[in-house]
């Protein structure tokens, strides 16, 4: 298609090296969509006749069927999705096909196709995020009566409702869905089509009309940035990297929770695997793979930044390397969101209430101590003094190898006269949970209110 000024052909090795059709054929739908809108514009300005436009539309219908039916023959020698489709169109309808590229370049074409593709993909990612949020919120509803330790520094810190912990995941995914929507917004914010190779179109196509026909907010303001910017791809892959970072942390929690040491949950057969040597094993592979794939997706974000950082204006062939990064980053993220939803399904997420209770009953970690400090404050003792008194009580409990639950009025008095017997009734972890009545705290009423908000919101929004 560009052979005119050449006498030789590219080397076979070069052909294989430079082709992108093996992966960019994924853009075929968007390529046809963009071409159809462009063809209508060419007809409006008199470059194509009504008849030629009809032929182009018919040709694209045939090509669509061929591709959908797996009958389309993709040719490496035609380099990319754009030339493959245009060449087939010309084969099918003759000269009208050859007129389609008037004023257009693959540079504005690929930027347009890719933006459309990213926008569609962002929608898929948002929907998958919502599904995962729904599963998590359902599990949270079922665990508003389960108290677990919350950890800081991976040391037992404060008792919380498991529902509160799970709702924090739904919260993280909520903000990821927002980032995916940003990716979609950025993709559709400016239409490159009409910008030609880099300097604009020689023919009076109406870019405003093209933008509305293709669902873009407006045409690009500058033909040079139109063909060279990949900011939209950065936004989308950043959103993927961020969502994966959240998923990886959730995965890590689930890997810990399903270990014998924690034993808070057992993950179902559908998301775990066995060992080929140790018959007793149940490995949390789904979560481990999600954690593992995170590095790969973050790597794609780095690859994109590095790809872009040294490019002179405007289009450079380097930009062809943007696609596999975005394809793989979004494929992996979508898969991980879906698998994580499976992990949190009713069938696969089993809470071990008794085991959790045993862990709490052991008294390890002395989370009850905070009750004492809070109680002393309510008795008018300054918090810093209360902290010190409580610290001494912890030391006492530890040195006697006992639990807070075993403390007697005499023990309290032995540590500090301000520790009155009434305190003994205040020591339960449940009481400590219930004291967190502040907005967004872990008291049951607060957690239920936040869950209801999330649930109502999810009920009304698929996107
Ligand atoms: N396959 C190319 C890409 O993905 C399409 C644009 C090619 N443009 C060019 N001037 N060679 O970037």
């Amino acid at each position: 298609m560009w052979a005119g000024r050449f006498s030789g052909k590219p080397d076979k090795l070069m052909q294989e090296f430079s082709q992108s059709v093996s992966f960019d054929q994924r853009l075929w739908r968007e390529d046809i969509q963009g071409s159809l809108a462009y063809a209508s514009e060419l007809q409006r300005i008199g470059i194509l006749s009504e008849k030629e436009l009809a032929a182009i539309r018919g040709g694209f219908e045939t090509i669509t069927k061929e591709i959908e039916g797996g009958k389309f023959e993709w040719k490496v020698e035609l380099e990319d999705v754009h030339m493959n489709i245009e060449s087939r169109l010309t084969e099918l309808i003759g000269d009208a096909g050859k007129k389609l590229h008037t004023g257009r370049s693959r540079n504005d074409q690929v930027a347009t196709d890719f933006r459309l593709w990213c926008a569609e993909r962002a929608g898929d990612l948002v929907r998958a995020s919502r599904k995962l949020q729904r599963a998590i919120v359902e599990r949270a509803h079922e665990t508003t009566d389960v108290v677990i330790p919350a950890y800081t520094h991976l040391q037992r810190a404060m008792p919380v409702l498991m529902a509160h912990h799970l709702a924090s995941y739904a919260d993280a995914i909520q903000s990821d869905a927002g980032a995916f929507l940003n990716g979609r917004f950025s993709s559709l914010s400016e239409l490159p089509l009409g910008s030609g190779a880099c300097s604009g179109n020689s023919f009076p196509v109406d870019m405003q009309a093209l933008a509305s026909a293709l669902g873009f907010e407006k045409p690009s303001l500058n033909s040079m940035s139109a063909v060279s910017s990949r900011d939209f791809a950065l936004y989308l892959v950043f959103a993927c990297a961020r969502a994966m970072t959240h998923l990886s942390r959730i995965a890590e929690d689930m890997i810990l929770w399903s270990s014998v040491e924690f034993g808070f949950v057992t993950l179902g057969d559908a998301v775990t695997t066995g060992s080929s040597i140790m018959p007793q094993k149940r490995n949390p592979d789904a979560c481990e793979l999600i954690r593992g794939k995170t590095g790969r997706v973050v790597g794609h974000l780095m690859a994109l930044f590095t790809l872009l950082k040294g490019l002179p204006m405007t289009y450079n062939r380097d930009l062809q390397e943007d696609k596999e990064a975005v394809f793989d980053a979004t494929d992996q993220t979508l898969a991980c969101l879906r698998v994580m939803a499976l992990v949190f399904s009713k069938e696969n997420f089993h809470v071990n209430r008794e085991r959790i209770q045993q862990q709490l009953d052991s008294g390890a970690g002395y989370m009850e101590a905070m009750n004492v400090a809070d109680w002393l404050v309510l008795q008018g003792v300054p918090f810093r003094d209360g902290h010190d008194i409580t610290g001494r009580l912890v030391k006492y409990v530890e040195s006697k190898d006992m639990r807070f639950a075993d403390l007697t009025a005499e023990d309290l008095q032995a540590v500090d006269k301000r520790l009155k017997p009434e305190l003994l009734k205040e020591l339960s972890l449940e009481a400590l949970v219930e004291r967190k009545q502040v907005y967004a705290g872990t008291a049951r009423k607060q957690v239920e209110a936040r869950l209801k908000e999330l649930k109502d919101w999810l009920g009304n929004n698929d996107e």
Side-chain angles (χ1 to χ4, degrees):
M1 285 195 171
W2 39 251
R5 60 105 67 228
F6 289 80
S7 349
K9 283 183 158 182
D11 192 279
K12 265 248 159 294
L13 181 63
M14 173 59 188
Q15 205 171 70
E16 210 24 75
F17 182 65
S18 78
Q19 68 82 26
S20 55
V21 64
S22 58
F23 52 86
D24 70 11
Q25 53 179 271
R26 287 179 78 162
L27 301 175
W28 72 268
R29 245 182 231 289
E30 292 73 21
D31 195 66
I32 291 179
Q33 196 186 347
S35 288
L36 280 170
Y38 193 67
S40 296
E41 257 315 282
L42 290 181
Q43 187 272 321
R44 195 188 61 79
I45 61 173
I47 305 266
L48 291 173
S49 68
E50 285 276 7
K51 228 171 117 206
E52 286 170 324
L53 177 60
I56 287 176
R57 287 183 175 147
F60 278 137
E61 266 173 40
T62 308
I63 292 174
T64 300
K65 281 195 198 111
E66 287 177 353
I67 300 178
E68 281 177 346
K71 299 211 167 60
F72 190 92
E73 198 195 330
W74 298 101
K75 295 180 183 148
V76 172
E77 54 282 17
L78 289 171
E79 239 178 72
D80 55 26
V81 61
H82 322 291
M83 295 211 284
N84 267 273
I85 290 183
E86 192 189 317
S87 154
R88 179 65 183 140
L89 182 71
T90 303
E91 225 171 70
L92 287 168
I93 65 168
D95 277 356
K98 290 193 196 161
K99 291 187 180 178
L100 176 63
H101 211 51
T102 312
R104 189 172 68 166
S105 156
R106 276 185 293 159
N107 300 353
D108 58 344
Q109 188 177 0
V110 71
T112 302
D113 294 0
F114 201 26
R115 278 173 179 268
L116 286 168
W117 189 90
C118 285
E120 183 68 28
R121 206 45 2 173
D124 296 338
L125 287 158
V126 174
R127 283 184 290 275
S129 306
R130 298 298 178 222
K131 280 209 173 115
L132 171 57
Q133 282 184 294
R134 279 195 193 101
I136 293 172
V137 169
E138 279 169 23
R139 299 296 76 74
H141 268 291
E142 295 159 4
T143 49
T144 52
D145 60 337
V146 181
V147 174
I148 57 168
Y151 297 81
T152 61
H153 313 267
L154 202 55
Q155 306 291 320
R156 288 187 181 186
M158 296 272 190
V160 291
L161 298 184
M162 184 181 266
H164 192 56
H165 189 128
L166 294 179
S168 77
Y169 298 159
D171 207 43
I173 310 290
Q174 173 87 347
S175 110
D176 293 331
F180 291 134
L181 287 169
N182 242 347
R184 181 163 72 182
F185 175 80
S186 169
S187 302
L188 294 179
S189 62
E190 292 183 20
L191 172 75
L193 192 59
S195 301
C198 62
S199 60
N201 203 305
S202 303
F203 305 93
V205 291
D206 179 349
M207 284 182 73
Q208 201 77 54
L210 276 174
S212 359
L214 289 169
F216 285 79
E217 202 192 320
K218 57 177 188 310
S220 295
L221 291 175
N222 181 292
S223 61
M224 296 177 75
S225 59
V227 296
S228 60
S229 169
R230 292 295 182 270
D231 292 354
F232 61 98
L234 285 174
Y235 270 112
L236 187 58
V237 176
F238 166 75
C240 289
R242 209 186 68 165
M244 287 299 296
T245 305
H246 284 144
L247 291 180
S248 185
R249 293 182 67 169
I250 299 171
E252 171 64 7
D253 273 355
M254 291 309 113
I255 292 164
L256 287 173
W257 281 16
S258 61
S259 67
V260 172
E261 283 68 20
F262 278 75
F264 292 178
V265 295
T266 303
L267 301 177
D269 291 358
V271 292
T272 49
T273 63
S275 154
S276 56
I277 175 167
M278 296 165 282
Q280 83 283 9
K281 288 291 292 284
R282 175 189 287 283
N283 296 324
D285 296 38
C287 291
E288 291 170 276
L289 282 167
I290 290 170
R291 192 178 55 185
K293 283 171 188 288
T294 304
R296 177 168 161 184
V297 175
V298 172
H300 289 313
L301 181 62
M302 291 310 116
L304 263 188
F305 271 120
T306 314
L307 170 68
L308 295 168
K309 77 172 247 319
L311 291 187
M313 287 299 259
T314 54
Y315 177 84
N316 297 272
R317 190 65 184 278
D318 314 43
L319 287 174
Q320 181 169 293
E321 290 289 313
D322 60 2
K323 279 164 220 73
E324 284 164 297
V326 174
F327 290 156
D328 192 59
T330 57
D331 285 349
Q332 298 307 323
T333 307
L334 201 52
C336 290
L337 286 165
R338 289 172 178 158
V339 170
M340 197 54 112
L342 205 57
V343 169
F344 282 103
S345 63
K346 199 167 182 58
E347 296 70 37
N348 291 309
F349 186 80
H350 307 286
V351 179
N352 301 328
R353 289 163 185 261
E354 277 176 27
R355 166 95 176 123
I356 292 169
Q357 197 52 54
Q358 277 167 14
Q359 298 237 33
L360 295 180
D361 289 346
S362 77
Y366 313 120
M367 288 188 293
E368 296 86 349
M370 205 63 225
N371 279 311
V372 181
D374 286 350
W375 183 85
L376 283 166
V377 166
L378 293 174
Q379 306 308 304
V381 178
F383 176 70
R384 281 291 159 224
D385 295 341
H387 188 288
D388 180 65
I389 297 168
T390 312
R392 283 190 278 112
L393 182 62
V394 172
K395 203 162 156 196
Y396 177 92
V397 166
E398 198 173 30
S399 68
K400 301 254 175 220
D401 204 15
M402 64 196 294
R403 306 172 307 162
F404 262 72
D406 306 323
L407 281 169
T408 62
E410 293 72 47
D411 291 319
L412 295 181
Q413 285 294 295
V415 172
D416 196 289
K417 292 280 168 269
R418 285 165 286 187
L419 297 173
K420 305 268 159 48
E422 311 83 275
L423 170 59
L424 291 175
K425 302 195 299 289
E426 309 284 334
L427 288 182
S428 79
L429 294 178
E430 286 73 16
L432 189 48
V433 166
E434 277 314 298
R435 210 166 292 134
K436 309 292 186 204
Q437 287 292 345
V438 67
Y439 183 86
T442 193
R444 189 166 173 162
K445 213 172 90 198
Q446 290 299 328
V447 172
E448 280 172 350
R450 295 292 82 69
L451 283 177
K452 187 176 177 324
E453 268 169 20
L454 259 171
K455 201 174 164 194
D456 290 349
W457 198 91
L458 288 168
N460 301 326
N461 286 282
D462 222 13
E463 293 221 338

PDB file of all heavy atoms in Angstrom, residues 182-200:
ATOM      1  N   ASN A 182     -12.385   7.322  34.569  1.00  0.00           N
ATOM      2  CA  ASN A 182     -11.450   8.365  34.129  1.00  0.00           C
ATOM      3  C   ASN A 182     -10.751   7.961  32.839  1.00  0.00           C
ATOM      4  O   ASN A 182     -10.568   8.778  31.941  1.00  0.00           O
ATOM      5  CB  ASN A 182     -10.352   8.515  35.188  1.00  0.00           C
ATOM      6  CG  ASN A 182     -10.355   9.878  35.783  1.00  0.00           C
ATOM      7  OD1 ASN A 182     -10.988  10.783  35.261  1.00  0.00           O
ATOM      8  ND2 ASN A 182      -9.642  10.030  36.870  1.00  0.00           N
ATOM      9  N   GLY A 183     -10.339   6.702  32.790  1.00  0.00           N
ATOM     10  CA  GLY A 183      -9.681   6.170  31.595  1.00  0.00           C
ATOM     11  C   GLY A 183     -10.614   6.265  30.398  1.00  0.00           C
ATOM     12  O   GLY A 183     -10.206   6.644  29.296  1.00  0.00           O
ATOM     13  N   ARG A 184     -11.881   5.971  30.628  1.00  0.00           N
ATOM     14  CA  ARG A 184     -12.844   6.052  29.524  1.00  0.00           C
ATOM     15  C   ARG A 184     -13.047   7.510  29.109  1.00  0.00           C
ATOM     16  O   ARG A 184     -13.064   7.836  27.930  1.00  0.00           O
ATOM     17  CB  ARG A 184     -14.182   5.429  29.929  1.00  0.00           C
ATOM     18  CG  ARG A 184     -15.166   5.499  28.775  1.00  0.00           C
ATOM     19  CD  ARG A 184     -16.317   4.582  28.943  1.00  0.00           C
ATOM     20  NE  ARG A 184     -17.204   5.052  29.972  1.00  0.00           N
ATOM     21  CZ  ARG A 184     -18.296   4.403  30.347  1.00  0.00           C
ATOM     22  NH1 ARG A 184     -18.588   3.243  29.799  1.00  0.00           N
ATOM     23  NH2 ARG A 184     -19.064   4.884  31.276  1.00  0.00           N
ATOM     24  N   PHE A 185     -13.180   8.362  30.103  1.00  0.00           N
ATOM     25  CA  PHE A 185     -13.389   9.776  29.822  1.00  0.00           C
ATOM     26  C   PHE A 185     -12.211  10.335  29.013  1.00  0.00           C
ATOM     27  O   PHE A 185     -12.389  11.031  28.016  1.00  0.00           O
ATOM     28  CB  PHE A 185     -13.539  10.525  31.159  1.00  0.00           C
ATOM     29  CG  PHE A 185     -13.651  12.005  30.996  1.00  0.00           C
ATOM     30  CD1 PHE A 185     -14.876  12.567  30.628  1.00  0.00           C
ATOM     31  CD2 PHE A 185     -12.560  12.830  31.172  1.00  0.00           C
ATOM     32  CE1 PHE A 185     -14.982  13.933  30.451  1.00  0.00           C
ATOM     33  CE2 PHE A 185     -12.667  14.199  30.997  1.00  0.00           C
ATOM     34  CZ  PHE A 185     -13.875  14.751  30.634  1.00  0.00           C
ATOM     35  N   SER A 186     -11.010   9.967  29.439  1.00  0.00           N
ATOM     36  CA  SER A 186      -9.816  10.468  28.758  1.00  0.00           C
ATOM     37  C   SER A 186      -9.752   9.945  27.317  1.00  0.00           C
ATOM     38  O   SER A 186      -9.393  10.676  26.398  1.00  0.00           O
ATOM     39  CB  SER A 186      -8.594  10.037  29.550  1.00  0.00           C
ATOM     40  OG  SER A 186      -7.432  10.271  28.833  1.00  0.00           O
ATOM     41  N   SER A 187     -10.141   8.672  27.114  1.00  0.00           N
ATOM     42  CA  SER A 187     -10.101   8.097  25.764  1.00  0.00           C
ATOM     43  C   SER A 187     -11.048   8.831  24.829  1.00  0.00           C
ATOM     44  O   SER A 187     -10.750   9.038  23.657  1.00  0.00           O
ATOM     45  CB  SER A 187     -10.482   6.610  25.801  1.00  0.00           C
ATOM     46  OG  SER A 187      -9.624   5.919  26.653  1.00  0.00           O
ATOM     47  N   LEU A 188     -12.197   9.198  25.347  1.00  0.00           N
ATOM     48  CA  LEU A 188     -13.219   9.801  24.481  1.00  0.00           C
ATOM     49  C   LEU A 188     -13.213  11.325  24.532  1.00  0.00           C
ATOM     50  O   LEU A 188     -14.104  11.969  23.997  1.00  0.00           O
ATOM     51  CB  LEU A 188     -14.605   9.280  24.874  1.00  0.00           C
ATOM     52  CG  LEU A 188     -14.853   7.791  24.631  1.00  0.00           C
ATOM     53  CD1 LEU A 188     -16.242   7.394  25.083  1.00  0.00           C
ATOM     54  CD2 LEU A 188     -14.661   7.432  23.158  1.00  0.00           C
ATOM     55  N   SER A 189     -12.188  11.881  25.167  1.00  0.00           N
ATOM     56  CA  SER A 189     -12.209  13.337  25.327  1.00  0.00           C
ATOM     57  C   SER A 189     -11.877  14.064  24.028  1.00  0.00           C
ATOM     58  O   SER A 189     -12.401  15.138  23.767  1.00  0.00           O
ATOM     59  CB  SER A 189     -11.239  13.762  26.437  1.00  0.00           C
ATOM     60  OG  SER A 189      -9.938  13.388  26.061  1.00  0.00           O
ATOM     61  N   GLU A 190     -11.018  13.473  23.206  1.00  0.00           N
ATOM     62  CA  GLU A 190     -10.601  14.165  21.976  1.00  0.00           C
ATOM     63  C   GLU A 190     -10.502  13.208  20.809  1.00  0.00           C
ATOM     64  O   GLU A 190      -9.873  12.157  20.928  1.00  0.00           O
ATOM     65  CB  GLU A 190      -9.205  14.777  22.175  1.00  0.00           C
ATOM     66  CG  GLU A 190      -9.177  15.911  23.149  1.00  0.00           C
ATOM     67  CD  GLU A 190      -7.779  16.517  23.244  1.00  0.00           C
ATOM     68  OE1 GLU A 190      -6.958  16.328  22.322  1.00  0.00           O
ATOM     69  OE2 GLU A 190      -7.524  17.165  24.263  1.00  0.00           O
ATOM     70  N   LEU A 191     -11.061  13.601  19.691  1.00  0.00           N
ATOM     71  CA  LEU A 191     -10.997  12.754  18.498  1.00  0.00           C
ATOM     72  C   LEU A 191      -9.801  13.132  17.622  1.00  0.00           C
ATOM     73  O   LEU A 191      -9.725  14.265  17.135  1.00  0.00           O
ATOM     74  CB  LEU A 191     -12.285  12.908  17.684  1.00  0.00           C
ATOM     75  CG  LEU A 191     -12.236  12.206  16.324  1.00  0.00           C
ATOM     76  CD1 LEU A 191     -12.373  10.702  16.498  1.00  0.00           C
ATOM     77  CD2 LEU A 191     -13.292  12.727  15.388  1.00  0.00           C
ATOM     78  N   PRO A 192      -8.899  12.170  17.364  1.00  0.00           N
ATOM     79  CA  PRO A 192      -7.764  12.474  16.473  1.00  0.00           C
ATOM     80  C   PRO A 192      -8.136  12.440  14.985  1.00  0.00           C
ATOM     81  O   PRO A 192      -7.484  13.098  14.177  1.00  0.00           O
ATOM     82  CB  PRO A 192      -6.759  11.362  16.778  1.00  0.00           C
ATOM     83  CG  PRO A 192      -7.295  10.610  17.956  1.00  0.00           C
ATOM     84  CD  PRO A 192      -8.766  10.846  17.988  1.00  0.00           C
ATOM     85  N   LEU A 193      -9.166  11.662  14.626  1.00  0.00           N
ATOM     86  CA  LEU A 193      -9.482  11.447  13.209  1.00  0.00           C
ATOM     87  C   LEU A 193      -9.738  12.786  12.514  1.00  0.00           C
ATOM     88  O   LEU A 193     -10.530  13.600  12.988  1.00  0.00           O
ATOM     89  CB  LEU A 193     -10.715  10.542  13.088  1.00  0.00           C
ATOM     90  CG  LEU A 193     -11.016   9.984  11.702  1.00  0.00           C
ATOM     91  CD1 LEU A 193      -9.882   9.148  11.157  1.00  0.00           C
ATOM     92  CD2 LEU A 193     -12.305   9.163  11.714  1.00  0.00           C
ATOM     93  N   GLY A 194      -9.055  12.971  11.375  1.00  0.00           N
ATOM     94  CA  GLY A 194      -9.145  14.252  10.675  1.00  0.00           C
ATOM     95  C   GLY A 194      -7.824  15.002  10.789  1.00  0.00           C
ATOM     96  O   GLY A 194      -7.599  15.993  10.092  1.00  0.00           O
ATOM     97  N   SER A 195      -6.951  14.511  11.671  1.00  0.00           N
ATOM     98  CA  SER A 195      -5.661  15.180  11.873  1.00  0.00           C
ATOM     99  C   SER A 195      -4.609  14.717  10.872  1.00  0.00           C
ATOM    100  O   SER A 195      -3.493  15.248  10.853  1.00  0.00           O
ATOM    101  CB  SER A 195      -5.142  14.922  13.289  1.00  0.00           C
ATOM    102  OG  SER A 195      -6.072  15.401  14.220  1.00  0.00           O
ATOM    103  N   GLY A 196      -4.954  13.719  10.044  1.00  0.00           N
ATOM    104  CA  GLY A 196      -4.021  13.230   9.028  1.00  0.00           C
ATOM    105  C   GLY A 196      -2.762  12.681   9.653  1.00  0.00           C
ATOM    106  O   GLY A 196      -2.765  12.150  10.764  1.00  0.00           O
ATOM    107  N   ALA A 197      -1.656  12.813   8.917  1.00  0.00           N
ATOM    108  CA  ALA A 197      -0.392  12.257   9.403  1.00  0.00           C
ATOM    109  C   ALA A 197       0.080  13.010  10.642  1.00  0.00           C
ATOM    110  O   ALA A 197       0.591  12.419  11.588  1.00  0.00           O
ATOM    111  CB  ALA A 197       0.666  12.339   8.317  1.00  0.00           C
ATOM    112  N   CYS A 198      -0.105  14.349  10.634  1.00  0.00           N
ATOM    113  CA  CYS A 198       0.312  15.154  11.783  1.00  0.00           C
ATOM    114  C   CYS A 198      -0.097  16.620  11.653  1.00  0.00           C
ATOM    115  O   CYS A 198      -0.084  17.366  12.613  1.00  0.00           O
ATOM    116  CB  CYS A 198       1.823  15.086  11.996  1.00  0.00           C
ATOM    117  SG  CYS A 198       2.773  15.732  10.632  1.00  0.00           S
ATOM    118  N   SER A 199      -0.485  17.037  10.432  1.00  0.00           N
ATOM    119  CA  SER A 199      -0.661  18.481  10.232  1.00  0.00           C
ATOM    120  C   SER A 199      -2.107  18.866   9.939  1.00  0.00           C
ATOM    121  O   SER A 199      -2.389  20.033   9.701  1.00  0.00           O
ATOM    122  CB  SER A 199       0.231  18.932   9.076  1.00  0.00           C
ATOM    123  OG  SER A 199      -0.147  18.227   7.909  1.00  0.00           O
ATOM    124  N   GLY A 200      -2.972  17.878   9.914  1.00  0.00           N
ATOM    125  CA  GLY A 200      -4.381  18.182   9.632  1.00  0.00           C
ATOM    126  C   GLY A 200      -4.801  17.563   8.308  1.00  0.00           C
ATOM    127  O   GLY A 200      -4.023  16.861   7.659  1.00  0.00           O
TER     128      GLY A 200
END
